[in-house]
């Protein structure tokens, strides 16, 4: 069985993706789709990015602002 392994960093953590049974082109397409989802989550949920929605919500906490 074919196995492709990819890794990157997102939300301050190492992300490891294993794609099993796919041809190299399909494995890269799966990787790209997964990375897009994690990058979108990082943009909104990362506590390490001052511009994320989570960071903005934390900055407003206790102010009475929505």
């Amino acid at each position: 069985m074919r196995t492709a392994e990819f890794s990157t960093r997102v939300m301050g953590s190492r992300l490891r993706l294993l794609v099993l049974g796919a041809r190299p082109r399909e494995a890269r397409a799966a990787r790209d789709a997964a990375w897009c989802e994690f990058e979108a989550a990082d943009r909104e949920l990362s506590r390490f990015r001052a511009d994320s929605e989570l960071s903005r919500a934390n900055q407003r906490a206790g102010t009475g602002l929505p």
Side-chain angles (χ1 to χ4, degrees):
M1 176 184 291
R2 293 178 181 162
T3 302
E5 181 176 348
F6 307 98
S7 63
T8 191
R9 293 195 63 81
V10 66
M11 288 196 261
S13 299
R14 180 174 175 247
L15 175 65
R16 182 173 163 227
L17 173 68
L18 295 176
V19 180
L20 305 176
R23 294 182 177 139
R25 186 176 181 171
E26 296 165 334
R28 288 189 303 273
R31 174 207 55 201
D32 292 346
W35 276 198
C36 284
E37 292 298 320
F38 279 101
E39 287 169 0
D42 183 62
R43 283 191 301 275
E44 296 301 318
L45 301 174
S46 179
R47 62 188 178 101
F48 301 101
R49 296 174 60 127
D51 62 340
S52 76
E53 184 61 32
L54 177 63
S55 291
R56 289 192 300 268
N58 284 336
Q59 291 168 354
R60 292 188 304 262
T63 67
L65 297 172

